[in-house]
């Protein structure tokens, strides 16, 4: 039997590489999660983008959860997102009529996500925003950020959070691509990294 001196660096074999979990593709996808606004609502806006890693590559197995106030700035308490059939316990999804303010979207094979929602109203001293939470492979702790929609320059200029982040504020403001369509890419690290928030 050959003995190897493990205390010597030249005798230590490298461990094989592997992908770091957790993995979110099982049990967490939420059918219809992208349809936060009631179907056919005339004031629906679309927010979309990509979740990108530190090298700018898209992540095909990430989740983006969104929470937003209604156009009057009120947070919905509608139990429409996770309704279950009281008899069978089966998943019923949204009721299709009331605005829930919440959605969970899985990125597609190209790392793309989108949601149809209502443009949020302002709350307190903040400019209108949508809260976002990102779950992805390699993230042992999910990340929180905000998505501000352009359109009210005075409110954006006075927003306390945007003021605090200084020249990185653009990573929190979506780009308007057309009438009612906004793009917001989430960069997990590297150049142009999205500002993430820590709640204590």
């Amino acid at each position: 039997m050959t003995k190897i001196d493990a205390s010597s660096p030249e005798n230590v074999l490298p461990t094989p590489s592997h992908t770091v979990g957790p993995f979110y593709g099982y049990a967490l996808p939420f059918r219809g999660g992208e349809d936060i606004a009631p179907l056919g609502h005339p004031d629906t806006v679309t927010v979309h983008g990509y979740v990108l890693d530190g090298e700018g590559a898209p992540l095909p197995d990430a989740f983006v959860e969104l929470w937003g106030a209604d156009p009057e700035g009120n947070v919905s308490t509608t139990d429409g997102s996770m309704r279950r059939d009281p008899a069978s316990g089966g998943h019923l999804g949204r009721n299709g009529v009331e605005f829930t303010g919440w959605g969970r979207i899985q990125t597609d094979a190209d790392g793309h996500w989108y949601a149809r929602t209502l443009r949020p109203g302002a709350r307190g001293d903040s400019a209108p925003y949508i809260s976002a939470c990102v779950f992805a492979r390699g993230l042992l702790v999910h990340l929180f950020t905000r998505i501000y929609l352009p359109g009210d320059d005075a409110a954006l200029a006075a927003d306390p959070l945007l003021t605090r982040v200084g020249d990185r504020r653009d990573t929190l403001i979506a780009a308007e691509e057309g009438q009612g369509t906004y793009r917001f890419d989430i960069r997990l690290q590297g150049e142009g990294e999205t500002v993430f928030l820590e709640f204590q």
Side-chain angles (χ1 to χ4, degrees):
M1 172 161 57
T2 305
K3 292 186 178 181
I4 296 175
D5 179 7
S7 64
S8 175
E10 57 271 3
N11 291 330
V12 177
L13 299 175
T15 56
S17 64
H18 65 282
T19 302
V20 177
F23 305 100
Y24 294 102
Y26 176 74
L28 283 180
F30 176 68
R31 187 174 67 252
E34 67 277 0
D35 292 315
I36 301 169
L39 291 177
H41 195 289
D43 299 324
T44 299
V45 298
T46 299
V47 182
H48 77 102
Y50 292 84
V51 178
L52 306 168
D53 67 15
E55 296 178 354
L59 293 179
D61 57 355
F63 277 95
V64 178
E65 284 191 354
L66 302 177
W67 299 273
D70 67 16
E72 288 75 44
N74 301 313
V75 175
S76 175
T77 58
T78 301
D79 187 22
S81 300
M82 300 295 281
R83 291 183 319 129
R84 298 208 175 266
D85 183 325
S88 69
H91 179 261
L92 291 176
R94 303 180 194 280
N95 66 17
V97 177
E98 297 174 272
F99 175 68
T100 66
W102 178 85
R104 177 187 293 153
I105 307 100
Q106 184 173 11
T107 57
D108 65 16
D110 296 320
H112 185 256
W113 64 273
Y114 74 95
R116 289 182 289 268
T117 188
L118 299 180
R119 187 179 180 100
R123 298 174 60 213
D125 295 334
S126 297
Y129 66 87
I130 300 169
S131 295
C133 182
V134 182
F135 302 81
R137 168 179 22 104
L139 290 180
L140 301 181
V141 177
H142 45 277
L143 302 172
F144 295 97
T145 190
R146 286 182 178 178
I147 303 170
Y148 289 89
L149 301 181
D152 188 340
D153 293 340
L156 293 172
D159 183 88
L161 177 65
L162 291 177
T163 302
R164 287 182 60 196
V165 299
D167 60 356
R168 294 185 60 203
R169 70 193 304 273
D170 290 342
T171 71
L172 297 176
I173 302 173
E176 186 168 10
E177 292 189 326
Q179 185 66 28
T181 303
Y182 303 91
R183 179 166 175 174
F184 186 80
D185 292 339
I186 300 168
R187 298 180 184 273
L188 300 182
Q189 59 183 194
E191 186 176 348
E193 176 184 332
T194 301
V195 170
F196 295 105
L197 309 175
E198 183 176 79
F199 295 96
Q200 299 179 349

